[in-house]
C-alpha cells in the first residue's frame, strides 16, 4: 500500500489517492503441489429489527390519537377480536419480518490450486467455486424460481517461462463467471415494505391465492406478495484480467540493466433479464365479510394490476480496458555499500464503456505518462530518491492535459546501526522516512470534461 508522494510518483495522475498493489500467487520450483480447501458456513442477520405485535401497535396508535384530541382508530372490540385470534383473515396480526425472512442462510466455498515447475518454467493454477443463498423465504412459489441465490466460478493462472538465459516471459490470467437469481422486486424494497406495513393491515394471503392490498394506487405493499408473486430476475456476469510481460536482461551492455514491457487487456460484461408482473390486490369488506356460501367477500380489486403474466426486460453493461507499459531499469552496487538505481517508465491506458447511456460516457478514457526515478542508499542505512512524473489525461482542457509532478524522499534505518544491536531482539526493524512532492488526479468521479 503506497500512500506518500515519493512512493506513488511513478503512477502519476493515477496515484493521487494512494496505490494498492495486488500480486497474485506464482508457481515455485519443485514437484507439483495440490491444495484443496472446502468451507461450509451458516449466515444470519447481524441485527434484525424487532417489530411490535398487532395488539401493542393498535393500543399505541389509539393513544397517539386520543392524547391529541382525536378519536381512536381501532375499537376495543376490534382489538379484542385480534387478540383472541378468532378470525385471522378479518383480524390479522402478522409479523411481516418473520413472514418474509428466514433466520439463517448458508454459503459454501471450494478452492483447488496447483503449483510447481522447473528452473525453466513455473506455474500456478487456481479454481474456485462459491455458492450462497439469501434470507428471503421462497416456499410456496409459482412455477418459476425467485429464490435468492448466487453462484460464482473463479480462476487464476500465472505462468513464468525462462525463454532464454536472459529473457523471461510472465503470463497472468484471472477472471470469474457468475450467475445470480433474485425476486422480481428489489430485495431492499421488500425489506422496506416489511418495515412499513402495519401488522394489522391485512393477512399474508387470502384463500384462493388472492393478494391482499388496501391502497387503490398500490401503496402499503404486501412484502410477501412482492417476494413470491412479482416474477424473478437473473444476472449473468463475467470478467477477465490478463497481462503479458516480457523482461530482457541487458547485463551484457552494463551490469544491472534490464528492460521490460507489459500489455494488459481487461474486459467485464453483465447481462440482466427481468420477468415480472403485478397482479390485482383485494381487501375484504369488513361490513359484509362473507358471502352466503362461506367464501370471503373480497369485492372489487383495490389495485387493478397488470394481469397474471410475466413481462420481459433486459439490461446490459460492460467495459474493456487496454494498458501498455515499458520501462528501462538499472541497479548497481559499488564497494558493497553504495547502491544506485534508476528507472524510466512509459505507460498508456485506454478504457471504454461498451454500453454507454450517453455521448459523453461513450468517449474512451485515455491516460498517458512518463515517470523516472533515481535512488541511492549507503550501507542499507541511509536512503535518498528523486522522482518525476509527466502525465496526461483527456479529461482536461487541451492546453492543460499534461502536468509535471516531482517528488523526493530521504530515509534512515537506525536498526542497521551498530549502536542499535543491543535492542535488536526487542525491535527488529526501525525506519524513519520523509517524502515531499506534488501529485495529480486524472479522474473526476461522476463528471467528465468538467472544464466545459
Amino acid at each position: 500500500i503506497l500512500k506518500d508522494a515519493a512512493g506513488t510518483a511513478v503512477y502519476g495522475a493515477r496515484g493521487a489517492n494512494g496505490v494498492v498493489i495486488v500480486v497474485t500467487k506464482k508457481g515455485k520450483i519443485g514437484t507439483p503441489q495440490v491444495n484443496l480447501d472446502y468451507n461450509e458456513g451458516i449466515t444470519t442477520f447481524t441485527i434484525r429489527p424487532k417489530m411490535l405485535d398487532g395488539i401493542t401497535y393498535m393500543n399505541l396508535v389509539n393513544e397517539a390519537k386520543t392524547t391529541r384530541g382525536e378519536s381512536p382508530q381501532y375499537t376495543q372490540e376490534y382489538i379484542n377480536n385480534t387478540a383472541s385470534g378468532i378470525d385471522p383473515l378479518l383480524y390479522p396480526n402478522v409479523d411481516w419480518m418473520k413472514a418474509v425472512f428466514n433466520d439463517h442462510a448458508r454459503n459454501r466455498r471450494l478452492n483447488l490450486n496447483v503449483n510447481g515447475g522447473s528452473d525453466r518454467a513455473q506455474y500456478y493454477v487456481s479454481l474456485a467455486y462459491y455458492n450462497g443463498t439469501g434470507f428471503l423465504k421462497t416456499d410456496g412459489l409459482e412455477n418459476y424460481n425467485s429464490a435468492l441465490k448466487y453462484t460464482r466460478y473463479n480462476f487464476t493462472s500465472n505462468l513464468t517461462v525462462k525463454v532464454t538465459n536472459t529473457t523471461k516471459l510472465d503470463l497472468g490470467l484471472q477472471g470469474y463467471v457468475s450467475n445470480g437469481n433474485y425476486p422480481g422486486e428489489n430485495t431492499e424494497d421488500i425489506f422496506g415494505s416489511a418495515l412499513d406495513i402495519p401488522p394489522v393491515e391485512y393477512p399474508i394471503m387470502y384463500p384462493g391465492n388472492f393478494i391482499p392490498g388496501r391502497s387503490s394506487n398500490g401503496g402499503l405493499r404486501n412484502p410477501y406478495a412482492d417476494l413470491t408473486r412479482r416474477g424473478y430476475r437473473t444476472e449473468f456476469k463475467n470478467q477477465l484480467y490478463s497481462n503479458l510481460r516480457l523482461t530482457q536482461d541487458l547485463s551484457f551492455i552494463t551490469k544491472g540493466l534490464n528492460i521490460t514491457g507489459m500489455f494488459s487487456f481487461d474486459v467485464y460484461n453483465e447481462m440482466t433479464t427481468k420477468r415480472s408482473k403485478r397482479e390485482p390486490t383485494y381487501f375484504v369488506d369488513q361490513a359484509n365479510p362473507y358471502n352466503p356460501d362461506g367464501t370471503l367477500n373480497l369485492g372489487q380489486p383495490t389495485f387493478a394490476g397488470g394481469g397474471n403474466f410475466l413481462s420481459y426486460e433486459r439490461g446490459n453493461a460492460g467495459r474493456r480496458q487496454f494498458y501498455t507499459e515499458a520501462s528501462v531499469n538499472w541497479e548497481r552496487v559499488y564497494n558493497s555499500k553504495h547502491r544506485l538505481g534508476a528507472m524510466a517508465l512509459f505507460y498508456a491506458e485506454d478504457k471504454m464503456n461498451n454500453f454507454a447511456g450517453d455521448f459523453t460516457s461513450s468517449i474512451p478514457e485515455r491516460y498517458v505518462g512518463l515517470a523516472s526515478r533515481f535512488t541511492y542508499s549507503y550501507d542499507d542505512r541511509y536512503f535518498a530518491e528523486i522522482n518525476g512524473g509527466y502525465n496526461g489525461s483527456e479529461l482536461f482542457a487541451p492546453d492543460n492535459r499534461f502536468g509535471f509532478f516531482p517528488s523526493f524522499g530521504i530515509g534512515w534505518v537506525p536498526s542497521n546501526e551498530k549502536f542499535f544491536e543491543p535492542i535488536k531482539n526487542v525491535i527488529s526493524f526501525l525506519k524513519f522516512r520523509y517524502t515531499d512532492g506534488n501529485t495529480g488526479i486524472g479522474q473526476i468521479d461522476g463528471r467528465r470534461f468538467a472544464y466545459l
Side-chain angles (χ1 to χ4, degrees):
I1 299 177
L2 308 177
K3 297 181 288 185
D4 62 277
T8 62
V10 296
Y11 297 92
R14 298 182 303 152
N17 295 318
V19 176
V20 178
I21 301 174
V22 179
V23 181
T24 54
K25 294 180 179 179
K26 293 188 176 183
K28 299 177 182 179
I29 297 175
T31 57
Q33 293 184 348
V34 181
N35 296 287
L36 178 66
D37 292 320
Y38 178 81
N39 176 275
E40 183 89 20
I42 296 176
T43 59
T44 186
F45 284 95
T46 304
I47 185 171
R48 184 165 69 173
K50 187 176 181 180
M51 312 304 290
L52 288 177
D53 65 274
I55 311 306
T56 307
Y57 170 81
M58 289 188 287
N59 285 325
L60 288 176
V61 169
N62 284 349
E63 180 182 325
K65 294 276 189 179
T66 56
T67 54
R68 287 156 179 79
E70 301 178 32
S71 300
Q73 182 168 327
Y74 300 99
T75 65
Q76 190 59 48
E77 180 186 10
Y78 191 95
I79 295 174
N80 292 340
N81 287 341
T82 303
S84 68
I86 188 173
D87 193 338
L89 295 177
L90 298 184
Y91 307 101
N93 185 3
V94 181
D95 184 341
W96 288 105
M97 295 295 289
K98 186 173 289 187
V100 171
F101 295 104
N102 291 314
D103 292 331
H104 301 92
R106 60 142 190 86
N107 60 48
R108 58 172 60 107
R109 301 171 187 269
L110 178 67
N111 178 267
L112 172 67
N113 63 75
V114 183
N115 83 88
S118 64
D119 180 58
R120 305 296 298 187
Q122 300 91 49
Y123 58 89
Y124 175 87
V125 178
S126 172
L127 302 174
Y129 166 79
Y130 172 83
N131 175 262
T133 62
F135 298 117
L136 293 170
K137 290 186 176 180
T138 54
D139 53 332
L141 301 177
E142 297 201 23
N143 295 323
Y144 53 78
N145 181 14
S146 66
L148 194 65
K149 182 173 66 174
Y150 179 76
T151 303
R152 185 180 66 238
Y153 302 90
N154 290 70
F155 70 90
T156 299
S157 175
N158 283 322
L159 176 65
T160 300
V161 178
K162 201 172 181 180
V163 181
T164 70
N165 290 334
T166 60
T167 307
K168 185 177 73 169
L169 181 70
D170 292 287
L171 174 63
L173 297 172
Q174 186 182 64
Y176 73 85
V177 175
S178 72
N179 274 300
N181 201 87
Y182 310 96
E185 279 293 286
N186 291 329
T187 54
E188 58 266 31
D189 293 336
I190 296 172
F191 186 84
S193 295
L195 293 175
D196 181 58
I197 188 74
V200 296
E201 199 66 29
Y202 43 69
I204 295 175
M205 202 66 66
Y206 287 130
N209 277 336
F210 291 100
I211 300 174
R214 181 184 289 275
S215 175
S216 59
N217 62 6
L220 288 176
R221 300 273 288 276
N222 184 324
Y224 184 80
D226 281 351
L227 169 61
T228 62
R229 303 287 289 272
R230 292 296 303 277
Y232 65 97
R233 177 170 48 93
T234 59
E235 286 184 356
F236 173 78
K237 300 179 181 180
N238 64 80
Q239 178 174 281
L240 174 67
Y241 291 148
S242 68
N243 58 73
L244 178 66
R245 180 180 293 275
L246 185 67
T247 304
Q248 177 64 52
D249 188 349
L250 298 178
S251 295
F252 60 89
I253 298 176
T254 183
K255 191 176 180 180
L257 181 67
N258 70 76
I259 60 172
T260 181
M262 193 263 279
F263 174 76
S264 171
F265 173 67
D266 301 335
V267 64
Y268 169 81
N269 290 290
E270 175 183 328
M271 182 177 69
T272 302
T273 302
K274 183 177 180 180
R275 303 182 186 274
S276 62
K277 63 179 180 177
R278 186 85 181 269
E279 298 178 64
T281 59
Y282 300 83
F283 195 77
V284 68
D285 184 352
Q286 291 286 344
N288 186 24
Y290 287 100
N291 297 313
D293 61 358
T295 61
L296 278 177
N297 181 18
L298 297 177
Q300 295 297 316
T302 56
F303 175 74
N308 190 17
F309 59 88
L310 293 173
S311 63
Y312 168 76
E313 296 177 52
R314 70 163 180 85
N316 296 88
R319 60 183 180 269
R320 65 108 177 106
Q321 173 179 317
F322 295 106
Y323 177 80
T324 306
E325 178 184 291
S327 66
V328 180
N329 310 277
W330 175 77
E331 186 174 3
R332 191 83 170 265
V333 179
Y334 295 92
N335 299 326
S336 72
K337 289 189 176 182
H338 302 277
R339 185 187 300 273
L340 292 170
M343 181 204 68
L345 180 144
F346 165 82
Y347 75 86
E349 186 175 311
D350 184 301
K351 298 179 182 179
M352 177 172 282
N353 184 347
N354 298 340
F355 297 92
D358 57 75
F359 176 76
T360 302
S361 301
S362 71
I363 299 174
E365 299 178 35
R366 288 178 176 146
Y367 309 93
V368 65
L370 292 168
S372 60
R373 169 174 287 169
F374 301 93
T375 62
Y376 169 76
S377 73
Y378 174 73
D379 198 25
D380 289 336
R381 291 183 289 162
Y382 309 103
F383 301 86
E385 64 177 286
I386 300 174
N387 305 279
Y390 186 68
N391 310 110
S393 169
E394 42 75 39
L395 286 179
F396 302 101
D399 295 336
N400 295 282
R401 283 187 173 152
F402 288 86
F404 178 66
F405 306 100
S407 65
F408 75 93
I410 55 174
W412 175 43
V413 181
S415 56
N416 286 344
E417 301 281 2
K418 287 186 177 181
F419 67 79
F420 204 85
E421 291 181 359
I423 60 171
K424 263 212 150 182
N425 60 337
V426 179
I427 302 175
S428 60
F429 183 79
L430 177 64
K431 181 178 182 178
F432 295 100
R433 188 166 186 252
Y434 174 81
T435 69
D436 201 346
N438 294 331
T439 60
I441 185 166
Q443 181 175 338
I444 303 173
D445 288 338
R447 188 177 183 190
R448 296 188 67 189
F449 311 116
Y451 69 91
L452 295 176

